[in-house]
Amino acid sequence: MPDFILTIDQGTTSTKAFLLDKDGNLVPSNPVPITQHYPQPGYVEHDAQEIYLSVLKCMADLIHNNPEAVGEIDSIALTNQRETTVAFDREGNPVCPAIVWQCRRTADICRREELQSKESEISSRTGLRLDPYFSATKIRWILENIPGTDKAAKSGELLFATVDGYLVYRLTAGVSFASDYSNCSRTMLFDIKKLDYSDELLELFDIPRKTLATPLPSCADYGSVAFDKDRLVALGLTEGQADCLMTLNGVHIRGVAGDQAAALFGQNCFEKGDTKTTYGTGCFTLMNIGEDPTISNNGLLTSAAWSIDGVTTYALEGSVFQGGSVISWLKDEMEIIDKPSDCDPICKSLEDNGGVYLVPAFTGLGAPHWNPDVRGTIVGLTRGSGRRHIVRAGVESIAYQVTELVDLMMKDTGITSTSMKVDGGVCACEFLMQLQSDLLGVKITRAQSDEMTAMGVGLMAGLASGYYASVDEIKKLYEGHKSYAPSRTPAQANELMNAYRQAVTAATAASVKG
């Protein structure tokens, strides 16, 4: 049996690739950054061609630096930023910028009476809220605003996909156009119980079914990679990079999952009630809710997480739009820290937060508020407030938002969590991890690797190909890195959360007045 699974992790700010071996070790490529474009307030875009090129470069870099992997790739796995929507022609060429999951340009579409009147039906079928976050309104916006797309969609010349479907199409040279259930679950067009697009919702949004990727289980055959060297060089790759990629021709893509479902799997959250949070650009908390897609009563989302051997596992999810991006804002826009690692010593240098709270609603508020119109707000400033207080308020805001989500999950399911697994680059901030444990009152365990999205989808591909024999074998690969236990009383934690909720109320009121 070949020695490795090649795992691609296409994220919001960068793309990475890894070699996953039988023992669960990940060997990384050099990451390739992805440019985010902000053409106007509330708009967030990517260049889909840049996304594809970043994937090619990462794969080539991985093979170049690990020549022992040539001929030893069992299968390819792909995990991706979800909801981000790509429109492209049959040749794979994007027809407009990709609309990123964070983008709020479709807020007015969501306010349309014909959609508002169907909100309960949308929720019951898809497990989602009517919100700009999801792909359906992004597709609708493209059809209404990009000349020629409506006609091209009706004739079958135009395709729409989340990033996984787009990359599968490009990597297989157009032979396969497929998306996994976890990504399809985020389109707001997918019936999560029937595991297929809803004809009623396709009609409601006026989106032709033939423009969408075929839904498949996470562990499935998505086709084989098919590269042409001349085309690779024409795209701007070097001869050497193209040669590395050519060694992958014929290798099958056997695992595909949205990043958060992949992370839940990688964290070994296989039992009902198991919970994880990934701290990345956004923060995403998921709870395994088993085989019954329970719809939330508290503004959370329900999606298919993975399907193995005909059995689908669902997850309850809360999404924080601004997680690690808050720290990027402190560094890049506010210019009050030089690097992300500055946050830990700054936060620890203060006895408390000085009553300063940040509501980081830079692109609106996600779960449980679902208000696209709220904007970022700092409250509690006094003459004694300074740079350090704003930094700490930014870091603390991440933990407050996650705590809101976990509390609501426990209300929806009746499950009282006693622990939570975490991953993602922001977990390096120990102040944040300790505060998170304090607020939730549970043990927090950080994984040995922060690359749980890559790990999870690689494990899925391994199950599909037989590289891993069973889920029981996979369970033995998980390793924890560090744990955090609560150090504050419940009363102290509640005091902090109540103050943050008051800040959210103030931010919401300010947006109404504005």
Side-chain angles (χ1 to χ4, degrees):
M1 178 173 287
D3 293 336
F4 305 105
I5 292 170
L6 194 159
T7 298
I8 301 161
D9 182 358
Q10 201 301 295
T12 308
T13 57
S14 68
T15 301
K16 295 173 280 189
F18 301 83
L19 291 176
L20 174 65
D21 70 16
K22 192 75 171 173
D23 296 323
N25 299 308
L26 287 170
V27 177
S29 69
N30 292 307
V32 176
I34 300 296
T35 305
Q36 286 189 294
H37 303 276
Y38 306 94
Q40 55 182 285
Y43 280 46
V44 190
E45 297 177 347
H46 281 160
D47 179 344
Q49 185 79 335
E50 180 187 6
I51 289 176
Y52 178 54
L53 284 171
S54 73
V55 169
L56 298 180
K57 289 175 182 177
C58 281
M59 295 169 72
D61 179 75
L62 195 64
I63 297 300
H64 174 75
N65 291 330
N66 300 276
E68 69 278 8
V70 174
E72 294 296 332
I73 303 297
D74 171 80
S75 54
I76 292 172
L78 171 63
T79 183
N80 59 285
Q81 55 170 310
R82 302 168 301 166
E83 298 94 21
T84 295
T85 303
V86 184
F88 54 103
D89 63 24
R90 290 280 175 180
E91 297 299 313
N93 301 309
V95 300
C96 63
I99 303 179
V100 178
W101 57 273
Q102 297 164 309
C103 187
R104 312 304 284 173
R105 75 181 66 185
T106 62
D108 286 342
I109 293 177
C110 292
R111 296 189 188 99
R112 292 177 181 175
E113 184 178 349
E114 65 268 26
L115 297 183
Q116 291 282 332
S117 66
K118 297 289 186 178
E119 186 166 12
S120 61
E121 180 181 342
I122 290 170
S123 179
S124 64
R125 289 182 186 275
T126 68
L128 308 178
R129 297 288 300 267
L130 177 58
D131 189 83
Y133 186 15
F134 308 108
S135 305
T137 60
K138 301 181 194 298
I139 295 173
R140 187 69 252 148
W141 188 93
I142 292 170
L143 290 170
E144 293 177 5
N145 290 275
I146 305 300
T149 55
D150 186 59
K151 180 180 179 181
K154 290 176 180 175
S155 67
E157 298 171 11
L158 185 66
L159 303 175
F160 295 105
T162 44
V163 171
D164 64 315
Y166 168 68
L167 291 177
V168 165
Y169 191 87
R170 296 296 300 267
L171 292 171
T172 62
V175 172
S176 177
F177 184 37
S179 176
D180 96 296
Y181 295 160
S182 70
N183 278 293
C184 290
S185 291
R186 313 297 289 192
T187 62
M188 209 159 63
L189 298 169
F190 191 71
D191 189 318
I192 58 173
K193 296 175 183 176
K194 295 181 179 179
L195 299 175
D196 194 10
Y197 301 114
S198 162
D199 288 329
E200 291 80 5
L201 294 180
L202 291 173
E203 182 178 356
L204 177 65
F205 287 97
D206 194 17
I207 297 172
R209 178 184 284 264
K210 61 187 173 184
T211 65
L212 303 175
T214 300
L216 289 179
S218 334
C219 301
D221 190 345
Y222 285 77
S224 60
V225 170
F227 291 127
D228 178 276
K229 184 174 179 179
D230 290 338
R231 290 185 178 180
L232 292 173
V233 173
L235 285 171
L237 273 67
T238 67
E239 291 272 347
Q241 288 172 325
D243 287 337
C244 288
L245 292 173
M246 294 299 292
T247 68
L248 296 172
N249 274 348
V251 178
H252 284 249
I253 303 169
R254 296 192 184 275
V256 176
D259 50 9
Q260 302 315 315
L264 189 70
F265 197 88
Q267 287 279 25
N268 277 15
C269 292
F270 298 134
E271 303 300 324
K272 187 175 181 179
D274 287 351
T275 305
K276 75 88 196 174
T277 297
T278 296
Y279 296 78
T281 303
C283 289
F284 302 90
T285 300
L286 274 72
M287 176 184 284
N288 182 329
I289 58 172
E291 299 174 34
D292 180 18
T294 303
I295 304 300
S296 172
N297 293 317
N298 291 291
L300 303 179
L301 310 174
T302 305
S303 299
W306 56 76
S307 293
I308 300 173
D309 296 331
V311 177
T312 299
T313 296
Y314 293 88
L316 195 62
E317 175 176 346
S319 307
V320 171
F321 294 154
Q322 307 296 338
S325 57
V326 174
I327 295 175
S328 298
W329 172 74
L330 292 171
K331 180 176 74 74
D332 299 331
E333 278 74 36
M334 295 297 287
E335 297 182 349
I336 56 177
I337 59 173
D338 294 325
K339 53 188 181 302
S341 59
D342 291 342
C343 290
D344 227 14
I346 290 173
C347 292
K348 291 176 180 177
S349 72
L350 295 169
E351 287 188 11
D352 55 44
N353 61 21
V356 179
Y357 292 84
L358 168 69
V359 180
F362 305 138
T363 55
L365 286 174
H369 308 284
W370 296 110
N371 190 331
D373 298 318
V374 180
R375 289 296 175 259
T377 307
I378 299 176
V379 303
L381 292 173
T382 68
R383 183 63 182 81
S385 304
R387 158 182 168 269
R388 292 184 300 162
H389 292 94
I390 294 175
V391 171
R392 179 157 168 165
V395 173
E396 286 190 354
S397 73
I398 300 171
Y400 296 139
Q401 293 176 94
V402 171
T403 300
E404 281 190 311
L405 301 180
V406 176
D407 286 348
L408 292 175
M409 285 180 177
M410 290 190 285
K411 287 182 181 179
D412 272 330
T413 62
I415 297 170
T416 300
S417 294
T418 58
S419 64
M420 184 171 73
K421 292 179 177 178
V422 300
D423 60 84
V426 186
C427 292
C429 182
E430 295 209 346
F431 172 83
L432 173 62
M433 292 296 97
Q434 183 59 60
L435 177 62
Q436 191 69 83
S437 177
D438 291 345
L439 294 176
L440 289 173
V442 305
K443 178 183 176 182
I444 300 288
T445 300
R446 182 184 178 190
Q448 182 69 34
S449 169
D450 285 326
E451 305 294 351
M452 286 293 102
T453 53
M455 172 71 78
V457 77
L459 297 175
M460 291 179 184
L463 282 175
S465 70
Y467 184 81
Y468 296 113
S470 65
V471 170
D472 286 336
E473 179 182 351
I474 286 172
K475 289 179 179 178
K476 299 174 184 177
L477 303 179
Y478 180 83
E479 291 184 43
H481 170 64
K482 187 170 183 177
S483 295
Y484 302 83
S487 61
R488 300 178 196 248
T489 67
Q492 290 171 325
N494 287 335
E495 184 178 352
L496 290 170
M497 282 304 303
N498 287 335
Y500 176 73
R501 292 186 184 103
Q502 291 173 13
V504 172
T505 300
T508 304
S511 71
V512 171
K513 292 177 183 178

